Amino acid sequence: MRLRPASTGDQPTVLRLIEDAAGWLRGRGIRQWNDPYPSEAERDARVRAALAGGETWLLWDGPEPVATVSATPVPDEHLWTAWEHQEPAIYLHRLVVRRRCAGQGLGAALLDWIGATARREQGCQWIRIDVWADNWSLHEYYRDQGFVFLRQSTAIADYPAGALFQKDTGAILLDPERPPFAVESVPGRKRNGYRAKGTSRGARNGAVQRAEAS
């Protein structure tokens, strides 16, 4: 398998992975991603902005995309406190693994690689994510990966993913130079692809500025 930075041309692929996951969740009675927040158009705009900003990765098994994740050191100003904004952290969105690959540890490997790389290259102490509030199985998954539940944020009215989790990157044992997949890079760009903290995340306003329901 190989992990490579995604580009704007990969938007249909990323959306297809999200929609496939939404269908599987719907079959289990879980509404996550089945009603894009706050609309499909604005969900797609967030995906496009993350791709344009170099925040998104795709994991490929030969010619088939099997997972995606986006990562940025820029926190959502509504979800995370001013104190948390000052702590060096990497923030995750839209971690999706294709169902045929479930149980292979790909999601865990992606989480650890991002956290370990962010710690080594940017000194990030935390890896953080906002999780769908009523997807209890997903909460348990992140706890199993060493994340700690911080709180349920109600800062954004009707926001469905206000369950906030974090993990100390110092607890990650994975060597970022030796993940269980090949990591590709592109000329003129750091391999981790993260945007420098404090820079703009694109021309987004209102609900589009809000973090993707993870």
Side-chain angles (χ1 to χ4, degrees):
M1 293 188 182
R2 72 187 193 280
L3 183 68
R4 68 167 179 81
S7 66
T8 53
D10 292 309
Q11 181 166 347
T13 299
V14 173
L15 291 176
R16 191 158 52 246
L17 285 168
I18 293 172
E19 294 297 338
D20 287 349
W24 180 79
L25 290 166
R26 184 167 56 250
R28 301 181 66 205
I30 300 171
R31 65 189 182 93
Q32 179 174 344
W33 287 333
N34 281 278
D35 295 310
Y37 175 85
S39 69
E40 183 175 335
E42 292 182 273
R43 185 275 312 270
D44 292 356
R46 288 194 298 271
V47 171
R48 184 167 57 253
L51 287 164
E55 299 173 0
T56 303
W57 292 85
L58 276 166
L59 183 66
W60 297 81
D61 184 7
E64 181 184 5
V66 294
T68 185
V69 65
S70 295
T72 174
V74 182
D76 182 275
E77 63 181 7
H78 303 286
L79 296 177
W80 305 93
T81 67
W83 178 261
E84 288 164 341
H85 289 193
Q86 300 307 309
E87 298 176 321
I90 192 76
Y91 296 83
L92 301 187
H93 307 291
R94 295 178 295 279
L95 174 63
V96 184
V97 176
R98 190 178 291 277
R99 291 313 304 166
R100 78 162 183 83
C101 296
Q104 298 182 23
L106 296 182
L110 287 169
L111 290 169
D112 283 351
W113 178 77
I114 287 173
T117 303
R119 183 178 183 86
R120 183 191 63 186
E121 297 190 359
Q122 297 189 13
C124 291
Q125 179 183 359
W126 305 105
I127 180 171
R128 290 171 171 160
I129 191 166
D130 53 297
V131 178
W132 205 270
D134 58 2
N135 188 341
W136 310 115
S137 296
L138 190 58
H139 293 197
E140 191 63 28
Y141 172 81
Y142 281 109
R143 288 191 176 96
D144 288 344
Q145 304 309 315
F147 284 75
V148 174
F149 175 74
L150 294 178
R151 62 185 176 277
Q152 176 65 43
S153 174
T154 58
I156 304 174
D158 301 321
Y159 184 57
L164 306 184
F165 286 79
Q166 73 176 14
K167 178 179 180 177
D168 188 336
T169 58
I172 297 173
L173 301 179
L174 176 74
D175 180 349
E177 293 289 345
R178 304 187 66 181
F181 39 71
V183 180
E184 297 183 5
S185 60
V186 295
R189 177 182 181 184
K190 276 192 173 183
R191 191 180 67 175
N192 65 9
Y194 304 148
R195 182 191 303 280
K197 188 171 184 178
T199 59
S200 171
R201 298 185 65 181
R204 289 180 283 177
N205 52 55
V208 180
Q209 288 180 314
R210 299 166 187 168
E212 168 65 37
S214 301

